[in-house]
Amino acid sequence: MRLAVTAQPTEPLRLRAEMLASRLGLIYCSDPGEASGFDFLLCFDDGGLCLKRTGKGAPGPVRVDFVAGRQAWRQQHGGGKGQLIARALGLHKGACPEVLDATAGLGNDSFALAGLGCRVTLLEQSGVVAALLEDGLQRLAQSARPELEAIAGR
């Protein structure tokens, strides 16, 4: 699997892409033609960081979006204490534990638990997935919505 980092041609995005490539030990591609030789691209664009598969017929990008994505909808419409993960932790009985999510992935469970008041610590082994998650959490923290800012603080 060949993976590179790229960005839309703006200075702030280019700088972020170069720093991420250095941190992960990946190649930074400034030329879109150069990027076509890779199987996957970590790409900074106006929506943040995303992971794209290259080639004809590739699916859409993967990105962590707690502000406007599926997780935000889940939080607003039924992300309550009746969820299986919340019940497993006893939240339906009034418990509110501190949680260590040692397999954070894209942060879905952690976001749900933080939305229910738990303090959550996330760990992710994959540098690529951790970078996607970090980007999503940064955008969550910068949200202009107070209820989301409170979740980001947990």
Side-chain angles (χ1 to χ4, degrees):
M1 174 183 81
R2 291 185 32 95
L3 173 66
V5 182
T6 188
Q8 287 182 340
T10 67
E11 188 67 14
L13 294 178
R14 183 189 62 76
L15 291 173
R16 289 181 67 193
E18 287 177 348
M19 289 185 346
L20 180 62
S22 176
R23 187 174 91 201
L24 296 178
L26 298 172
I27 295 170
Y28 168 70
C29 293
S30 59
D31 177 11
E34 184 182 311
S36 65
F38 291 89
D39 300 315
F40 292 90
L41 297 173
L42 275 171
C43 180
F44 281 98
D45 60 24
D46 292 335
L49 181 64
C50 66
L51 178 65
K52 297 179 182 181
R53 183 166 180 89
T54 61
K56 188 172 178 125
V62 174
R63 103 175 49 241
V64 175
D65 189 354
F66 299 117
V67 178
R70 186 176 55 186
Q71 290 305 313
W73 188 92
R74 178 182 178 189
Q75 178 64 32
Q76 293 172 340
H77 302 95
K81 294 182 179 180
Q83 297 176 79
L84 291 177
I85 192 160
R87 293 180 61 79
L89 291 174
L91 299 183
H92 66 292
K93 295 179 182 176
C96 194
E98 287 193 28
V99 176
L100 171 63
D101 186 349
T103 56
L106 299 177
N108 297 335
D109 292 337
S110 294
F111 181 71
L113 293 172
L116 295 171
C118 295
R119 294 200 58 78
V120 183
T121 301
L122 296 90
L123 299 176
E124 177 51 50
Q125 181 179 5
S126 166
V128 171
V129 176
L132 290 166
L133 181 56
E134 179 182 17
D135 178 72
L137 290 170
Q138 286 174 352
R139 285 183 285 108
L140 176 62
Q142 295 167 356
S143 163
R145 295 174 40 199
E147 72 278 9
L148 293 180
E149 289 177 26
I151 292 171
R154 290 190 209 116

